[in-house]
Amino acid sequence: MKKYFQSIAYVVSVFAAMYGLHIAITTYEKPFDIYENPLVWIILIALILMVLLRELVNIVALERVEKLELEKEGIDPETVDRYAWFRKLLKKWTRSKAIEEEGEIVLDHNYDGIKELDNSLPPWWLYMFYITIIFGVIYMARYHMFGGDDQATEYQKEVAEATRLLEQRKQQNGGVVEVVVDANTATILTDEASLGRGKAVFNLNCASCHAQDGGGGIGPNLTDKYWILGGDMKSVFTTISDGGRTGKGMVAWKSNLKSKDIEKVASYILSLQGTTPKKPKDPQGELWEEE
């Protein structure tokens, strides 16, 4: 029964991790940016660790079965060298001599009783040395004989490429360069695409405390007219970006979310005003009225 429970728990855990990874990848614009979206990498590493742990458990189980079979055949498991293949491989790649064989490579001279061994260079060291020679020849030919780009040339090319992308972005935005949004320049967005993006980011990062319908949980209700830190666009943007009250409010999200996404989340939150959640939390803060 325990075996089946472990298998079921493993399958469920892997499925949950893959589902969480799918949600994160489809939600974020750049899901594999480790600085903006560490959640993707955390789930990915957790998934890999689960698979490795499962394999480790299987290896331990196989070793136990092998030990029992040896005992049935009357063989002492302690006398079986399971790592003979590794020792053979290690000896091949290091060309090391056993202590009993060192007499074969002792040089015919000593210093105050100190003898010297004529050990061969390890193959792994020799191969790495040969690789550095080959790399050096290719490098010299590429950059000193055939005119490869030096650092200054590479820099100039990267600047030219960045300038081209900037001009392309200007053309896409009607000649205006995209700027970073802050609390003073953020506006309430009402188009379907922006609200859809805001909802996706809200469900991933905010719903655990405020509920998916905004009715509140650990965090306050976002559908009523009562606000702790203000209910206009500037206040909501600032609260999301810089965090709530010190010591008991939510954390700052400016290091995890782009400013444009914060603007979309704030717009989505404000669009929840007047809706009816399933389990609305009691009002918190003060009644907010637009000036």
Side-chain angles (χ1 to χ4, degrees):
M1 184 66 183
K2 182 179 179 181
K3 177 175 143 184
Y4 292 113
F5 175 77
Q6 290 177 347
S7 299
I8 294 173
Y10 171 73
V11 172
V12 172
S13 300
V14 171
F15 177 78
M18 293 182 66
Y19 179 74
L21 190 63
H22 168 73
I23 294 296
I25 290 176
T26 55
T27 300
Y28 293 128
E29 292 182 357
K30 295 181 180 179
F32 295 105
D33 189 323
I34 192 170
Y35 296 105
E36 293 185 8
N37 309 311
L39 178 62
V40 175
W41 286 99
I42 291 174
I43 297 176
L44 194 58
I45 293 172
L47 181 61
I48 294 173
L49 288 177
M50 280 191 292
V51 174
L52 291 178
L53 182 61
R54 176 67 174 181
E55 292 303 317
L56 180 61
V57 170
N58 288 337
I59 291 173
V60 172
L62 288 174
E63 285 187 351
R64 288 181 178 177
V65 172
E66 183 181 352
K67 185 177 180 180
L68 290 174
E69 290 179 352
L70 289 173
E71 290 177 350
K72 287 181 180 179
E73 295 175 2
I75 301 174
D76 185 3
E78 300 298 330
T79 62
V80 179
D81 188 2
R82 297 186 179 89
Y83 303 101
W85 63 272
F86 178 74
R87 301 181 198 282
K88 184 177 180 181
L89 180 65
L90 186 64
K91 184 175 181 180
K92 180 179 179 181
W93 276 90
T94 58
R95 287 186 182 173
S96 60
K97 288 281 188 179
I99 296 178
E100 297 80 7
E101 302 173 352
E102 286 184 350
E104 302 174 5
I105 56 174
V106 174
L107 294 176
D108 190 21
H109 57 78
N110 64 74
Y111 303 92
D112 295 332
I114 301 175
K115 297 181 180 181
E116 182 181 357
L117 299 178
D118 187 19
N119 281 310
S120 300
L121 289 173
W124 65 266
W125 190 94
L126 278 175
Y127 295 153
M128 289 183 64
F129 179 64
Y130 295 150
I131 290 172
T132 58
I133 294 175
I134 295 171
F135 176 83
V137 171
I138 295 174
Y139 185 91
M140 183 181 68
R142 174 71 176 86
Y143 293 101
H144 295 281
M145 298 173 62
F146 299 106
D149 295 339
D150 56 14
Q151 291 181 340
T153 305
E154 289 179 353
Y155 172 75
Q156 292 170 0
K157 286 185 176 181
E158 290 181 2
V159 170
E161 177 65 14
T163 303
R164 185 188 68 79
L165 293 176
L166 181 62
E167 293 299 326
Q168 181 180 353
R169 181 65 61 86
K170 284 183 179 180
Q171 293 177 3
Q172 292 175 350
N173 296 336
V176 179
V177 181
E178 183 179 353
V179 296
V180 177
V181 180
D182 59 21
N184 295 317
T185 59
T187 58
I188 299 178
L189 305 175
T190 58
D191 59 285
E192 184 177 350
S194 297
L195 292 179
R197 171 68 180 171
K199 180 179 180 180
V201 178
F202 178 89
N203 288 339
L204 182 63
N205 299 288
C206 314
S208 58
C209 292
H210 296 281
Q212 286 195 355
D213 56 8
I218 299 175
N221 186 348
L222 302 176
T223 64
D224 57 29
K225 294 184 178 181
Y226 290 82
W227 294 85
I228 298 174
L229 298 174
D232 60 338
M233 185 60 179
K234 181 178 180 179
S235 300
V236 175
F237 186 99
T238 301
T239 303
I240 298 172
S241 176
D242 299 336
R245 296 165 293 172
T246 304
K248 51 181 158 180
M250 71 177 187
V251 299
W253 287 94
K254 59 185 176 183
S255 58
N256 295 341
L257 299 177
K258 294 181 178 179
S259 60
K260 294 293 292 183
D261 280 342
I262 294 178
E263 182 183 40
K264 292 172 183 176
V265 173
S267 299
Y268 173 72
I269 290 173
L270 292 175
S271 72
L272 296 176
Q273 287 287 288
T275 59
T276 305
K278 292 181 179 179
K279 296 180 180 180
K281 190 177 181 180
D282 293 337
Q284 293 176 271
E286 299 178 359
L287 179 64
W288 179 265
E289 295 181 1
E290 292 286 349
E291 295 182 359

